[in-house]
Amino acid sequence: MKQNAASLPPDAIWRTDFFAGLVPDQTGRRILITGANSGIGYPAARELARAGAHVLLGSRDRTKGEASVERLRSEVPAASVELSVFDLASLDSVREFAARELERGLPLDVLIDNAGVMAPPKRLETKDGFELQFGTNVLGHFALTGLLMPALEMSVTASAAVVPQAPRVVIVASIAHKRGRIDFEDLQSTRSYVPMRAYAQTKLADLMLAFELDRRLRAKGSTIESIAAHPGVANTNLFQVGDYNPVEKVIRRVVGPLIGALLGTALDGALPTIYAAAARGARSGGYYGPQGFREMRGGDVGEAEVAPQALDEAVSGRLWRRCEELTGVTFG
């Protein structure tokens, strides 16, 4: 897995020794990453491909996805990668993709629920009528995970991995979960929409569902692992783009580079996700993030701080049942 530094893109050079000691050879593992054409998803896809994994690069935009696949192959010539096009903001799209994937009869070793929408200034809706952040960040991923569970289960006995590892579901949360509250009376923010409050609720929901999935998998004796991670704060397109007014767009373009200089790059943000997906030390039910100042950045990855409300099993169970009702997807 270790490579000559001269063959690596500049933002990957400083991490090769770190990964070599933590991440086993990923050859033979199939890994699907949602939102992998940009943000922290792209460097995660690139480094997992560099480690030998066959990466399914999830994107809702075919043109952007194809460009990212081409870029990845130029940066990692030996990469095994394919494009997977589907829209998490459409349950029909998620179902159609999952059906196509299951028809292939191939095991899925890792599912990384990474894609996200962050704080659009106006309340927007998915194609199914859900508030865009909750519908994409939470419900789209919940449905995708449930529908692909048979492929993850197949990995237990049919994986082609050179180095055996348990199949994993990695759910990307955020330090914003600490400010979140699950409002069952207004999950879709129809009564009141506050962008960052709605976002924080989705990231809390993601973390709670990761823990709830782990409990349910353990209860049924499954070897599939559910692991959560967060990127800290990184200078990615999640922060820089969106439906903002001209003044906000200018401010974000100016502030964005400062965030990159003071906090973290996209690869910095991807490290906890890579760790959760492939590292030997990641454990089911764990939550990992950067270990720098207030978990906002840092070269080291370790256990992340969990807000008390994320540990409420009664609320987590209720949220799980509500997600099943809203998506029509139940886990076998």
Side-chain angles (χ1 to χ4, degrees):
M1 167 168 183
K2 188 174 181 180
Q3 300 184 31
N4 188 309
S7 69
L8 300 173
D11 67 340
I13 291 173
W14 60 283
R15 291 286 77 184
T16 51
D17 289 337
F18 176 80
F19 282 127
L22 287 177
V23 177
D25 187 347
Q26 296 297 292
T27 301
R29 299 187 92 199
R30 297 181 74 246
I31 300 178
L32 169 61
I33 309 177
T34 68
N37 63 287
S38 62
I40 67 170
Y42 177 79
R46 183 188 65 203
E47 298 312 310
L48 288 166
R50 194 190 310 284
H54 176 75
V55 175
L56 287 75
L57 194 151
S59 174
R60 64 184 176 87
D61 186 292
R62 181 173 294 278
T63 299
K64 291 181 180 178
E66 289 174 346
S68 295
V69 168
E70 184 176 343
R71 175 187 170 192
L72 195 154
R73 285 175 173 157
S74 70
E75 294 182 339
V76 186
S80 178
V81 59
E82 66 178 275
L83 179 63
S84 297
V85 179
F86 57 95
D87 185 359
L88 287 163
S90 165
L91 291 178
D92 282 344
S93 178
V94 171
R95 290 190 184 96
E96 289 168 3
F97 167 75
R100 292 195 304 271
E101 182 62 24
L102 293 179
E103 284 175 2
R104 300 172 72 179
L106 298 173
L108 182 64
D109 296 281
V110 183
L111 169 61
I112 302 177
D113 291 333
N114 163 75
V117 178
M118 180 180 176
K122 299 177 182 178
R123 184 184 181 279
L124 304 173
E125 293 188 347
T126 68
K127 294 179 181 178
D128 302 287
F130 303 123
E131 188 273 317
L132 183 62
Q133 295 178 92
F134 197 86
T136 302
N137 301 356
V138 181
L139 298 178
H141 279 128
F142 182 89
L144 180 69
T145 304
L147 292 168
L148 290 180
M149 196 58 63
L152 288 159
E153 291 171 344
M154 191 184 306
S155 171
V156 175
T157 57
S159 175
V162 170
V163 179
Q165 284 183 282
R168 292 179 175 179
V169 175
V170 176
I171 297 178
V172 179
S174 167
I175 55 177
H177 89 272
K178 298 175 183 178
R179 302 192 301 275
R181 295 292 184 276
I182 304 298
D183 184 356
F184 287 106
E185 302 306 314
D186 195 23
L187 277 179
Q188 308 303 326
S189 302
T190 53
R191 297 179 184 175
S192 174
Y193 177 73
V194 179
M196 280 305 300
R197 184 175 68 193
Y199 177 73
Q201 176 181 238
T202 68
K203 293 291 98 178
L204 173 61
D206 284 338
L207 185 56
M208 297 179 82
L209 291 171
F211 293 156
E212 181 68 13
L213 177 57
D214 171 68
R215 286 189 289 268
R216 289 171 179 255
L217 290 169
R218 301 289 74 73
K220 65 184 292 188
S222 174
T223 60
I224 299 172
E225 299 175 338
S226 174
I227 305 172
H230 79 81
V233 182
N235 184 24
T236 70
N237 64 319
L238 190 65
F239 176 82
Q240 296 177 37
V241 302
D243 183 21
Y244 301 102
N245 66 47
V247 173
E248 288 175 313
K249 288 180 179 179
V250 170
I251 291 173
R252 284 170 178 264
R253 280 199 296 269
V254 172
V255 174
L258 294 177
I259 286 181
L262 298 175
L263 297 175
T265 66
L267 180 60
D268 292 330
L271 298 183
T273 295
I274 297 169
Y275 183 89
R280 297 178 179 88
R283 61 176 179 81
S284 189
Y287 178 43
Y288 300 95
Q291 299 298 287
F293 179 69
R294 294 185 179 273
E295 295 186 3
M296 291 191 290
R297 71 163 299 164
D300 294 331
V301 175
E303 294 193 12
E305 182 179 351
V306 179
Q309 64 268 29
L311 300 173
D312 190 322
E313 294 187 19
V315 173
S316 296
R318 182 181 177 188
L319 176 64
W320 184 280
R321 293 188 294 274
R322 188 67 180 129
C323 288
E324 288 182 326
E325 294 170 359
L326 292 171
T327 63
V329 173
T330 57
F331 288 54

